[in-house]
């Protein structure tokens, strides 16, 4: 809304016009958008100063609020009706250079334009280059050179990757410097290249006008309001004075009726050097320069987007380190940035492409345990930082072998150790992150080696008992090197867990019930040490025992789910009844569930079980008519979906959920049951005759020689009218529909819409155009 006096129009639904006030006038309000103070009024040449603007009418919608200092955005951090806080963004320009210059021989696309550019400290140069699609083996780049005639790269000079098309950026930070650069040799014969020059000038001080807009409307500015500057913030305050010893006079000028902000040399921190270009989270980085704060919290240092926590500072030095708790990026070179509250951004006055960057490497600070079993399989824990990624992007090796990763966090890796003969083996970590692969640095005080030692290898010499029958059994394992912590010891027999209860240095006691049938190994694993040696190659025997088959009888039509209880069943278990397969449904060590095949009425039918190559003692099962459900009469009055089907017979269950009815293998949901009758709701099926079967839990399948007959019925059509031109989608609802069912409307076929779902209860088709005359 623009500023000024606005009438307030209020209309009531029962009124003949607008409401008025006590003076019989339409009420008015005055909308003000006014700035009464800006603080501070000076800051860094390169932005970064946090500005507080006071006034009225700002509102609270930050997205509608726009603040500029000259042509530079001041990004709004917060807004209320009377206060805006914003941070001046980078004041540097982006200077665009492309390869569409004209070469005197080769023409357009073979030269930088502009070829010679005058730029200022803090500007970012952006080179872009493209190659015509029909040119091959053409790979320009941007490469700094020592002069225009040389291709020699100066120490730490800037250089990009070579490619047919590309973009490269470089920020200039020192004045009175001339940069020479080339395109690299752009073709394989090293004949063609194009060159350019950057002349870097000092960034001048300036007076910039502060403008505030809300919703596109600019505020008015009351420079004589008398509003006081805000007090220093609580907690860590800010510097409000220029650099110590700076004598450069501030710039002058600016409109007297506007709030002006001075971009000043004396408020500009400067970085001269960084102590290192790479390191780990345990390393401190020393930054030398001027204009810093001696209060550590007033200095902000970032590497890329990761904060470098300031540990100490003076006006000329900052010491900081990256904190592993914030998971800073690893492997990737990232630019330093420094800001001093509330002077603003520092100029990184450091020459070179890499000297302004820092690469954070992963590091190993601890490895546990240090001495392990020669049999491997123990859990190795590696602590440190920079483990950025998951088990697919991080590789841990012990010696020449992989340590299989089990878990990863930024500060810890666990992996399963390989086996080695007695020796010392180096632990190494490679991290693939941010498009690069880098090696973790070892910062363990001794070394990043672990010792595979016989003295650290547990040994198993005997096991008692050595035969198991499926009953709960206490097992005693004798040997040495087991320790005393039961939570650190795992025992398996044939792969089945034996629950550990007591551990001493020489014995392990555990309890187990079922063990896979046959001869099985005993394995003892100390979680953080590794596997015990099975000195005598001890094996136990698990007996092939069947204790029961439930139920003992079932339907002659099959379908009885029998539960064979016993010991040692494995996933390869096979069950046959009189030579026919009993379809396996579930196998555990103590039970096999399978579905019986059909068989003539007979008692004592042989049941044979084989697991793990071991045959179990033969058992028997009875097929009886007494256990066979019988369907005698089916009543289906209205033969279509949704109607009740009445089934009379014998051997059904009075428990409704134990009866399952299918028609043509489609479920017919049971609604009521008794031993002699079952009722169910007919499913949607095509027209025709279909077999009905009842399955009774605990008995099996009924006879399948009784049938129900469906007929086609049409119960609804929607819509019922439409255009004579046809093409309208119509839905027919009913029952008994088949894929071959033909629908005709006015003696013309209504073609099915294949994009829609067609069922036995629904057809969706496209109405044909009408024929004949219409009046």
């Amino acid at each position: 809304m623009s500023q000024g006096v606005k009438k307030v129009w209020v209309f009531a639904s029962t009124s003949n016009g607008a409401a008025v006030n006590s003076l019989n006038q339409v009420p008015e309000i005055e909308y003000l958008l006014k700035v009464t103070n800006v603080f501070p009024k000076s800051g860094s040449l390169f932005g970064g100063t946090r500005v507080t603007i006071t006034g009225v009418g700002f509102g609270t919608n930050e997205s509608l609020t726009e603040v500029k200092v000259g042509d530079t955005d001041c990004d709004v951090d917060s807004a209320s009706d009377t206060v805006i806080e914003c941070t001046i963004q980078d004041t540097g320009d982006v200077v665009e250079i492309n390869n569409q210059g004209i070469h005197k021989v080769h023409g357009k696309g073979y030269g930088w334009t502009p070829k010679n550019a005058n730029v200022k400290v803090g500007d970012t140069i952006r080179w872009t280059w493209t190659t015509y699609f029909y040119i091959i083996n053409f790979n320009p780049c941007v490469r700094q050179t020592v002069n225009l005639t040389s291709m020699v790269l100066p120490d730490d000079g800037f250089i990009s990757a070579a490619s047919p098309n590309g973009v490269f950026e470089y920020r200039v930070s020192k004045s009175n410097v001339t940069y020479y650069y080339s395109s690299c040799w752009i073709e394989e014969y090293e004949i063609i290249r194009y060159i350019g020059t950057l002349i870097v000038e000092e960034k001048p001080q300036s007076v910039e006008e502060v403008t505030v807009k809300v919703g596109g409307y600019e505020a008015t500015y009351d420079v004589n309001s008398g509003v006081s500057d805000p007090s220093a913030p609580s907690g860590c305050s800010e510097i409000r004075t220029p650099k110590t010893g700076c004598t450069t006079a501030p710039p002058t000028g600016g409109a007297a009726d506007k709030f002006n902000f001075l971009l000043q040399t004396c408020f500009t921190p400067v970085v001269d050097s960084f102590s290192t270009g790479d390191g780990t989270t345990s390393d401190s980085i020393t930054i030398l320069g001027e204009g810093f704060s001696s209060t550590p919290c007033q200095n902000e240092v970032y590497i890329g987007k990761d904060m470098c926590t300031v540990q100490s500072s003076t006006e000329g030095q900052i010491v900081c380190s990256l904190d592993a708790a914030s998971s800073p990026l690893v492997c990737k070179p990232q630019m330093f940035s420094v800001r001093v509250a509330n002077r603003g951004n520092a100029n990184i006055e450091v020459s070179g492409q890499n000297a302004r960057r820092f690469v954070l490497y992963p590091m190993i600070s601890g490895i546990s345990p240090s001495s392990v079993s020669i049999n491997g399989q123990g859990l190795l824990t590696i602590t440190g930082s920079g483990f950025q990624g998951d088990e697919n992007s991080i590789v841990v090796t012990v010696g020449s072998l992989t340590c299989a990763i089990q878990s990863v966090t930024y500060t810890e890796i666990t992996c399963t150790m390989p086996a080695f003969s007695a020796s010392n083996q180096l632990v190494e970590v490679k991290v693939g992150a941010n498009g690069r692969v880098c090696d973790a640095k070892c910062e363990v005080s001794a070394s990043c080696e672990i010792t595979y030692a016989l003295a650290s290898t547990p040994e198993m010499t005997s096991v008692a008992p050595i035969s198991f029958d499926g009953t709960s059994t206490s097992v005693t394992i004798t040997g040495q090197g087991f320790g005393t912590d039961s939570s650190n010891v795992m025992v398996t027999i044939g792969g089945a867990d034996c629950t550990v209860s007591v551990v001493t240095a020489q014995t392990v006691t555990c309890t187990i019930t079922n063990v896979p049938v046959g001869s099985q190994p005993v394995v003892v694993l100390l979680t953080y040490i590794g596997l015990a040696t099975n000195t005598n190659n001890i094996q136990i025997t698990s007996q092939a025992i069947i204790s029961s088959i439930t139920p003992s009888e079932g339907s002659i039509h099959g379908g009885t789910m029998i539960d064979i209880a016993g010991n040692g069943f494995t996933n390869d278990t096979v069950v046959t009844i009189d030579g026919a397969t009993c379809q396996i449904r579930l196998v555990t060590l103590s039970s096999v569930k399978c579905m019986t095949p059909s068989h003539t009425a007979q008692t004592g039918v042989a049941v044979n079980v084989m697991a793990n190559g071991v045959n179990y003692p033969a058992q028997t099962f009875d097929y009886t008519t007494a256990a066979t459900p019988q369907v005698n009469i089916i009543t289906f009055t209205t033969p279509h979906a949704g109607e009740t089907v009445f089934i009379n017979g014998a051997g059904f269950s009075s428990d409704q959920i134990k009866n399952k009815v299918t028609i043509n293998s489609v479920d017919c949901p049971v609604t009521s049951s008794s031993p002699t009758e079952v009722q169910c709701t007919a499913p949607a099926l095509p027209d025709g005759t279909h077999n009905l079967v009842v399955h009774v839990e605990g008995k099996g399948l009924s006879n399948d020689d009784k049938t129900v007959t469906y007929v086609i019925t049409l119960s609804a059509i929607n819509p019922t009218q439409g255009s004579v031109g046809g093409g309208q989608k119509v839905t027919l609802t009913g029952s008994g529909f088949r894929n071959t069912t033909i629908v005709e409307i006015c003696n013309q076929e209504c073609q099915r819409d294949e994009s829609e779902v067609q069922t036995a209860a629904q057809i969706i088709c496209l109405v044909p155009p009408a024929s004949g005359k219409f009046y």
Side-chain angles (χ1 to χ4, degrees):
M1 181 189 300
S2 60
Q3 300 185 69
V5 176
K6 312 290 181 181
K7 291 185 181 296
V8 180
W9 299 94
V10 180
F11 295 91
S13 60
T14 58
S15 171
N16 293 323
V20 296
N21 59 19
S22 59
L23 300 176
N24 288 324
Q25 297 173 338
V26 175
E28 297 176 336
I29 62 169
E30 183 178 10
Y31 173 63
L32 296 176
L33 176 57
K34 181 189 294 185
V35 175
T36 56
N37 192 32
V38 172
F39 182 83
K41 295 180 176 64
S42 296
S44 170
L45 291 169
F46 303 99
T49 308
R50 188 178 175 92
V51 179
T52 300
I53 301 169
T54 53
V56 293
F58 300 145
T60 59
N61 191 335
E62 296 173 14
S63 65
L64 296 178
T65 306
E66 177 187 333
V67 182
K68 284 186 175 292
V69 177
D71 293 329
T72 303
D73 289 336
C74 192
D75 279 6
V76 176
D77 302 312
S78 65
S80 70
D81 199 54
T82 57
V83 178
I84 297 171
E85 290 188 335
C86 65
T87 302
I88 302 174
Q89 298 304 289
D90 185 357
T91 60
D93 292 328
V94 176
V95 179
E96 301 281 356
I97 298 176
N98 62 55
N99 72 330
Q100 296 306 299
I102 299 176
H103 189 277
K104 62 182 179 181
V105 175
H106 303 290
K108 188 175 182 180
Y110 288 84
W112 295 120
T113 182
K115 181 177 180 180
N116 302 308
N118 286 8
V119 299
K120 295 180 176 62
V121 171
D123 287 350
T124 297
I125 319 305
R126 179 186 293 146
W127 289 270
T128 59
W129 60 95
T130 57
T131 301
Y132 296 116
F133 70 91
Y134 50 81
I135 300 176
I136 60 173
N137 298 323
F138 194 84
N139 292 294
C141 75
V142 178
R143 176 190 179 95
Q144 186 181 350
T145 58
V146 294
N147 56 50
L148 287 176
T149 60
S150 173
M151 284 293 283
V152 176
L153 181 74
D155 290 342
D156 200 19
F158 57 78
I159 184 169
S160 76
S163 60
N165 305 292
V167 178
F168 178 68
E169 292 185 351
Y170 185 78
R171 184 184 177 97
V172 293
S173 59
K174 278 194 172 184
S175 62
N176 303 316
V177 174
T178 299
Y179 291 96
Y180 306 102
Y181 64 93
S182 170
S183 62
C184 306
W185 298 113
I186 61 177
E187 36 64 65
E188 58 185 322
Y189 302 107
E190 297 188 355
I191 297 173
I192 305 172
R193 69 185 179 105
Y194 29 94
I195 57 177
T197 303
L198 299 175
I199 300 172
V200 185
E201 303 169 353
E202 184 177 347
K203 187 176 183 69
Q205 299 187 115
S206 62
V207 178
E208 305 293 344
E209 186 177 298
V210 178
T211 58
V212 176
K213 292 182 180 180
V214 177
Y217 294 98
E218 186 171 355
T220 58
Y221 305 95
D222 184 357
V223 296
N224 299 310
S225 68
V227 173
S228 301
D229 293 336
S231 57
S234 59
C236 186
S237 59
E238 57 189 30
I239 297 178
R240 298 187 169 190
T241 57
K243 296 185 294 186
T244 302
C246 183
T247 58
T248 304
T252 58
D257 60 346
K258 296 292 180 68
F259 288 98
N260 297 303
F261 189 91
L262 310 185
L263 299 178
Q264 279 189 255
T265 300
C266 286
F267 280 85
T268 305
V270 175
V271 172
D272 294 325
S273 66
F274 300 100
S275 61
T276 181
D278 62 66
T280 69
T281 55
S282 66
D283 293 327
S284 293
I285 303 167
T286 300
I287 304 168
L288 299 180
E290 64 178 48
F292 307 146
S293 173
S294 57
T295 303
C297 67
Q298 293 176 352
N299 302 294
E300 298 173 6
V301 181
Y302 281 86
I303 298 173
K305 295 182 179 180
D306 298 315
M307 178 178 285
C308 191
T309 304
V310 176
Q311 300 160 348
S312 64
S313 65
T314 65
E315 290 190 23
Q317 175 179 289
I318 297 172
V319 179
C320 70
S321 62
L322 290 165
D323 186 357
S326 62
S327 302
L329 296 182
V330 295
C331 304
K332 181 180 181 179
Q334 298 191 93
M335 296 291 289
F336 282 99
S337 63
V338 177
R339 177 182 177 274
V340 178
N342 191 24
R343 288 176 177 156
N345 295 332
N347 180 35
I348 309 297
E349 200 168 298
V350 178
S351 297
Q353 179 166 266
N354 295 316
R356 312 178 203 175
R357 297 177 175 179
F358 183 85
V359 179
L360 179 66
Y361 284 97
M363 70 94 172
I364 301 171
S365 59
I367 298 175
S368 178
S370 58
S371 184
V372 301
S373 168
I374 63 171
N375 301 311
Q377 297 305 302
L379 198 63
L380 186 68
T381 300
I382 304 168
T383 53
S385 67
F387 307 136
Q388 201 160 54
D390 55 27
E391 60 272 14
N392 298 314
S393 57
I394 295 176
V395 176
V396 179
T397 55
V398 178
S400 59
L401 301 178
T402 299
C403 190
I405 293 176
Q406 303 302 311
S407 66
V408 175
T409 68
Y410 191 85
T411 56
E412 183 180 275
I413 300 172
T414 61
C415 61
T416 303
M417 293 176 281
F420 271 102
S421 59
S423 58
N424 289 340
Q425 298 294 333
L426 181 65
V427 177
E428 295 180 294
V429 177
K430 288 184 181 293
V431 176
N434 306 305
R436 293 169 172 81
V437 176
C438 56
D439 295 326
K441 295 188 175 184
C442 179
E443 297 188 0
V444 179
S445 56
S447 72
C448 283
E449 291 184 339
I450 58 173
T451 300
Y452 283 84
L454 290 172
S456 299
T457 305
E459 183 180 10
M460 174 175 53
T461 57
S462 66
V463 175
I466 60 171
S467 180
F468 297 83
D469 61 4
T471 59
S472 180
T473 303
S474 178
V475 182
T476 301
I477 302 167
T478 305
Q480 62 181 11
F482 299 137
T484 58
D485 184 359
S486 60
S487 65
N488 187 38
V489 179
M490 293 188 294
V491 178
T492 59
I493 302 177
D497 291 334
C498 190
T499 304
V500 175
S501 56
V502 180
V503 174
T504 69
Q506 289 79 36
T507 62
V508 175
T509 302
C510 63
T511 303
I512 195 167
T513 302
N514 298 103
V515 176
V517 68
S519 181
Q520 301 293 346
V522 179
V523 176
V524 178
L525 172 66
L526 274 64
T527 305
Y528 299 101
I529 298 295
L531 289 174
T533 299
N534 189 341
T535 303
N536 300 316
N537 193 26
I538 301 166
Q539 299 272 313
I540 64 88
T541 299
S542 179
Q543 300 176 42
I545 292 176
I546 293 178
S547 56
S548 65
I549 294 180
T550 306
S552 58
E553 63 175 349
S555 170
I556 62 174
H557 303 295
T560 307
M561 181 73 77
I562 60 172
D563 184 350
I564 305 171
N567 174 61
F569 304 119
T570 55
N571 288 335
D572 64 351
T573 300
V574 175
V575 179
T576 60
I577 300 179
D578 198 16
T581 299
C582 189
Q583 296 292 333
I584 302 293
R585 294 291 184 263
L586 178 67
V587 177
T588 67
L589 284 171
S590 60
S591 172
V592 177
K593 295 182 187 297
C594 65
M595 193 72 74
T596 62
S598 60
H599 196 282
T600 57
Q602 181 181 339
T603 60
V605 178
V607 178
N608 294 295
V609 179
M610 184 174 70
N612 198 28
V614 177
N615 288 310
Y616 281 71
Q619 308 294 311
T620 61
F621 179 77
D622 296 341
Y623 285 91
T624 66
T625 54
T628 301
Q630 179 66 35
V631 175
N632 294 328
I633 299 173
I634 299 173
T635 304
F636 194 19
T637 305
T638 307
H640 58 77
E643 296 301 316
T644 300
V645 180
F646 297 87
I647 305 160
N648 294 99
F652 307 142
S653 174
S654 56
D655 187 346
Q656 181 176 314
I657 64 173
K658 290 186 177 182
N659 300 298
K660 180 179 181 181
V661 180
T662 57
I663 302 175
N664 197 31
S665 300
V666 177
D667 186 34
C668 184
V670 174
T671 55
S672 69
S673 67
S674 72
T676 58
E677 182 182 83
V678 173
Q679 297 178 20
C680 66
T681 303
L685 288 170
D687 65 313
T689 300
H690 305 288
N691 293 93
L692 181 148
V693 176
V694 179
H695 181 274
V696 179
E697 184 180 323
K699 290 186 176 181
L701 296 171
S702 71
N703 51 307
D704 64 356
D705 56 348
K706 302 302 181 183
T707 61
V708 294
T709 300
Y710 276 67
V711 296
I712 294 178
T713 62
L714 180 62
S715 57
I717 180 170
N718 184 46
T720 57
Q721 62 182 8
S723 168
V724 297
Q728 188 172 16
K729 191 178 292 188
V730 64
T731 301
L732 287 77
T733 306
S735 66
F737 302 148
R738 292 179 177 269
N739 292 335
T740 56
T741 301
I742 296 174
V743 178
E744 291 185 349
I745 297 178
C746 296
N747 297 319
Q748 296 185 78
E749 186 174 350
C750 186
Q751 296 287 344
R752 293 187 184 224
D753 185 347
E754 298 303 331
S755 67
E756 298 285 354
V757 176
Q758 313 284 344
T759 69
Q762 173 182 281
I763 294 175
I764 300 175
C765 62
L766 300 175
V767 176
S771 59
K773 295 182 180 180
F774 298 89
Y775 301 95

